[in-house]
Amino acid sequence: MGLLQKAVATYDANTNLIGVYQAGRDPLAPIGHMLTNAGIEITLNAAGEFLSARKVEKSEPKILIPVTEDSSGRTKELVAHPLCDQLKYVARANEKAHMLYLQTLRTWMESSHSHPFLRAVFFYAEGGTILDDLTRAGILDSLKSYDEKLMVCWRVHGFADEEPACWKNRNLFASFADYYRDRISTRDIEFCMIEGKTGPAAVQHPKGIIPVNGKAKLISANDTNGFTYRGRFSEKWQAATVGYIASQKAHNALRWLASDQGVREFSGNRIFLCWSPQGTALPKPMRRLRGAETTALWKPSDYQEQLKGTLLSYRKDRQLHDTDSAILASFDAATTGRLSITYYNELSLGTFLNRMQSWDAHCCWYAGKYGIQAPSLFQIVECAFGTQRGNLLETDDRIQRQHLQRLLNCKVSGGVFPQDIVKALAERASMPLAYDEAIWRRILHTACSAIQKYRYDTKQGGDEMAWELDKKDRSFQYGRLLAVMDRAEQDYYNKTEESRQTNAIKFMSEFRQRPFYVYERVNRHLHQAYLNRMEPWQANRYERLTGEIIGIIQEFPEEDLNKPLSDLYLMGYELQRNAFFAKNETNKTEEEE
């Protein structure tokens, strides 16, 4: 019930947005209303006479319409909406459906919570001229060929103080909410397990709260012949009782959040939500806290300071309070009718933000021209499990959503970075020939980020990005050696303007398993084919650096000389490679040295 309670709290905290249309966003639905796409808009005067009509484009925003519990969950059975409905109900072509519509509209119109629009719409619908009017207006091609599922909405002119569009009229919203509340007041009073108070219970719950999952329901217990509650309870109300008002608030809030409110992420049909019930805008946990548009930094200390500054600015600009809540949930539908909660977590806003910062502070590495960056969770999964297609890495939806959820839980809960993902990244980063260079570089950056985060979580390190190049680690030094051999051969290709892969990179996978053997082979080839044809300062630099690195490696036991390397060799390769670019060495500088 925690999710639904937080959804109700979200609804109550955003009552000022109920029924408010904002560009590019769906409105928060009033109680007893749902969002749908309109097909035809008909304009009437106060006397219920036809004025005009137009076809609503599919690109136009969804509209709010009043619904009963039965009509909001209708499938094949005929159940009419109270005001806006399909041509099947509004027109007289289907007599049974049309009479149900008129009866439903009349009941509301004749209640103590009526509204002036209702009489105008009822008078017009009862006249039965809608199909003729729409044909004359050019909306329908003929009386015999039309889509009976087109949703009809109304504009009513002639009431000075009323918004003519029925889907924007706040008085009309309140009228139906009060009317339907009176109708259900005769039900048995039950204890609501969401709000903790008594009132009329919901008989049916809204469907389609996550648009990408169609009509799937979050709460459903009307299957008396299946397995919804059989074997546990004899009656559906024994499982849980939820009040009508609480159900409406919770489902409308979740539907609103799942629309484009800036709190959602998609992976196939799985949707991830992160929000604060108090209405505070939160950073997206799937993304990095510090945007790529910020100043590129190459010193770890500068990156850490800017990350702290980003969080401080975030707190100040949005006036965040650590005592507020952060809610994370993900939804998926295994079938077309059942929506499941695949992940749920709630924590204080202060804890949430600190964990976002901690993740980005340790799961980061050098990302080319962007400087030090933390990869997004999407990038981690794509680099670990994706298949290259064109210039992109594409991941199977099932694999992506499974591992995204694991990483999200790790990030939010402060858990250990998954070791299997680290292993997958390191394996791929050791196979440069399997990918285009740009993609391989991204995989390498992501792998180093993940390795550093895993070492931090397991208290083996976590500050590898700040290591000095003389670090006494065998794998790290071999990684440096690989970078030096790669750079020497690349310098020659730059001189001859050739576009070729260096031998160091070609043998990288084997180098990981037999480092000294591969070093001897590549080093011999460099002396035979390239060093004597380079600039003297470049050859001198190669000899100096390889001598320095081999000297450190030889301090380790001789039997370890050719043993397989740990993942730290990737970091040694990257840091040595970055050192070449960071120093911006010139011929003169090398000669002086």
Side-chain angles (χ1 to χ4, degrees):
M1 288 295 181
L3 171 66
L4 298 180
Q5 288 172 336
K6 292 301 181 181
V8 170
T10 302
Y11 191 93
D12 290 338
N14 292 277
T15 53
N16 60 311
L17 296 176
I18 294 175
V20 177
Y21 289 80
Q22 297 175 308
R25 293 185 175 184
D26 290 339
L28 178 58
I31 291 172
H33 290 71
M34 76 173 192
L35 281 162
T36 189
N37 290 109
I40 298 173
E41 178 187 306
I42 297 177
T43 302
L44 308 175
N45 62 19
E49 296 170 337
F50 179 84
L51 297 180
S52 64
R54 73 177 187 92
K55 194 168 185 178
V56 179
E57 299 298 329
K58 292 182 179 179
S59 59
E60 295 187 41
K62 292 182 178 181
I63 65 169
L64 291 166
I65 66 169
V67 292
T68 64
E69 286 175 285
D70 290 336
S71 71
S72 66
R74 71 187 183 190
T75 52
K76 295 180 180 179
E77 295 182 5
L78 292 177
V79 184
H81 294 319
L83 181 61
C84 301
D85 212 331
Q86 299 171 346
L87 270 177
K88 176 181 179 179
Y89 290 88
V90 177
R92 190 174 279 177
N94 186 323
E95 190 66 26
K96 186 175 180 181
H98 183 61
M99 294 308 296
L100 280 174
Y101 172 75
L102 291 178
Q103 181 182 350
T104 304
L105 179 56
R106 183 198 294 272
T107 305
W108 179 14
M109 179 184 69
E110 294 178 348
S111 72
S112 58
H113 301 288
S114 185
H115 186 276
F117 282 11
L118 305 181
R119 194 165 297 278
V121 173
F122 180 83
F123 178 82
Y124 175 68
E126 189 181 37
T129 62
I130 182 170
L131 295 180
D132 292 326
D133 292 336
L134 293 177
T135 303
R136 284 194 295 269
I139 306 301
L140 302 181
D141 294 331
S142 71
L143 292 174
K144 295 181 179 180
S145 176
Y146 62 89
D147 183 0
E148 65 175 11
K149 292 185 178 180
L150 286 173
M151 179 66 66
V152 177
C153 62
W154 311 96
R155 281 184 183 271
V156 183
H157 291 282
F159 300 98
D161 298 328
E162 297 287 345
E163 160 63 49
C166 67
W167 60 94
K168 294 182 180 180
N169 191 304
R170 302 178 72 85
N171 293 331
L172 192 61
F173 297 158
S175 168
F176 181 76
D178 292 340
Y179 157 72
Y180 199 67
R181 196 177 284 116
D182 274 1
R183 280 197 61 185
I184 65 174
S185 62
T186 57
R187 293 179 184 172
D188 292 340
I189 301 301
E190 303 286 354
F191 180 78
C192 175
M193 294 184 178
I194 294 178
E195 293 190 299
K197 55 187 180 183
T198 58
V203 175
Q204 289 195 48
H205 300 276
K207 64 181 179 181
I209 65 170
I210 307 298
V212 72
N213 286 306
K215 298 179 179 180
K217 280 189 173 185
L218 189 60
I219 304 177
S220 179
N222 61 350
D223 184 5
T224 56
N225 298 315
F227 293 91
T228 305
Y229 57 84
R230 199 171 78 177
R232 296 176 177 83
F233 308 100
S234 58
E235 298 292 340
K236 59 187 178 184
W237 59 266
Q238 294 173 330
T241 51
V242 178
Y244 169 76
I245 299 299
S247 175
Q248 287 289 309
K249 287 181 177 181
H251 286 86
N252 286 349
L254 290 174
R255 185 189 291 112
W256 177 64
L257 291 167
S259 65
D260 191 11
Q261 303 297 325
V263 302
R264 70 180 187 183
E265 297 278 10
F266 280 110
S267 175
N269 285 341
R270 182 166 297 185
I271 184 171
F272 297 86
L273 302 180
C274 176
W275 81 95
S276 168
Q278 293 77 20
T280 306
L282 301 183
K284 290 186 175 182
M286 298 289 191
R287 310 287 175 175
R288 63 176 68 92
L289 185 63
R290 175 180 170 271
E293 70 280 357
T294 52
T295 305
L297 300 171
W298 283 270
K299 290 180 65 176
S301 57
D302 291 344
Y303 170 77
Q304 298 292 346
E305 287 301 314
Q306 191 179 81
L307 191 60
K308 292 177 183 177
T310 300
L311 188 59
L312 286 174
S313 299
Y314 203 94
R315 289 175 180 270
K316 182 179 178 181
D317 294 344
R318 292 163 175 77
Q319 298 180 346
L320 304 182
H321 303 286
D322 287 351
T323 54
D324 290 345
S325 300
I327 310 300
L328 296 97
S330 67
F331 304 86
D332 204 349
T335 69
T336 56
R338 299 289 182 266
L339 184 68
S340 62
I341 303 169
T342 59
Y343 175 77
Y344 179 75
N345 198 351
E346 60 179 81
L347 61 166
S348 71
L349 188 53
T351 301
F352 171 76
L353 293 175
N354 289 336
R355 286 177 179 168
M356 295 302 100
Q357 179 190 351
S358 176
W359 178 279
D360 281 18
H362 298 99
C363 187
C364 58
W365 200 256
Y366 299 97
K369 65 180 181 179
Y370 300 108
I372 300 171
Q373 288 284 350
S376 70
L377 302 193
F378 290 101
Q379 180 176 327
I380 293 173
V381 174
E382 286 171 355
C383 289
F385 305 104
T387 301
Q388 182 176 343
R389 292 188 176 89
N391 297 323
L392 300 173
L393 286 170
E394 296 182 4
T395 312
D396 179 80
D397 285 344
R398 293 173 297 175
I399 294 174
Q400 186 184 65
R401 58 179 181 252
Q402 174 190 350
H403 292 294
L404 277 177
Q405 190 159 302
R406 293 177 64 207
L407 289 170
L408 177 64
N409 184 51
C410 173
K411 185 174 184 178
V412 173
S413 302
V416 176
F417 194 101
Q419 188 177 15
D420 61 307
I421 297 181
V422 174
K423 183 178 179 180
L425 287 167
E427 290 286 344
R428 288 180 165 222
S430 301
M431 298 188 296
L433 301 185
Y435 308 95
D436 291 347
E437 184 176 3
I439 289 180
W440 174 65
R441 289 290 175 195
R442 187 160 74 248
I443 293 174
L444 184 58
H445 154 240
T446 307
C448 289
S449 301
I451 294 166
Q452 181 169 251
K453 179 66 169 67
Y454 176 77
R455 288 175 59 82
Y456 171 78
D457 293 340
T458 54
K459 304 188 185 309
Q460 300 178 53
D463 61 342
E464 288 76 14
M465 193 166 50
W467 276 5
E468 297 294 335
L469 294 179
D470 60 355
K471 179 73 175 179
K472 297 298 189 291
D473 183 276
R474 186 180 71 93
S475 296
F476 180 82
Q477 291 300 328
Y478 266 123
R480 286 187 62 203
L481 189 60
L482 184 70
V484 172
M485 294 188 294
D486 177 37
R487 178 63 186 266
E489 190 171 343
Q490 191 61 55
D491 283 341
Y492 174 78
Y493 294 151
N494 290 340
K495 179 181 177 181
T496 59
E497 297 183 354
E498 295 180 67
S499 178
R500 293 172 59 184
Q501 194 70 271
T502 67
N503 285 292
I505 297 302
K506 286 179 182 178
F507 298 129
M508 188 172 180
S509 182
E510 185 181 357
F511 180 81
R512 185 188 186 193
Q513 301 301 321
R514 300 190 294 170
F516 197 76
Y517 170 79
V518 173
Y519 157 67
E520 287 184 315
R521 184 167 57 176
V522 174
N523 180 58
R524 184 166 54 250
H525 187 71
L526 282 169
H527 278 86
Q528 292 173 350
Y530 299 114
L531 290 184
N532 61 348
R533 298 157 70 182
M534 295 179 187
E535 296 293 333
W537 68 270
Q538 293 175 328
N540 290 338
R541 180 183 63 184
Y542 173 76
E543 297 289 3
R544 174 172 56 81
L545 287 175
T546 53
E548 171 193 320
I549 295 168
I550 291 296
I552 297 175
I553 290 174
Q554 287 177 338
E555 295 179 13
F556 294 91
E558 187 175 351
E559 59 267 22
D560 293 345
L561 203 62
N562 211 35
K563 283 186 177 180
L565 303 177
S566 73
D567 298 340
L568 286 174
Y569 92 96
L570 296 172
M571 295 178 159
Y573 170 82
E574 275 285 276
L575 289 183
Q576 180 61 62
R577 184 173 178 273
N578 288 339
F580 288 133
F581 293 103
K583 289 180 180 178
N584 194 22
E585 296 167 323
T586 63
N587 298 14
K588 182 178 179 181
T589 302
E590 289 292 340
E591 289 169 353
E592 289 175 352
E593 290 180 356

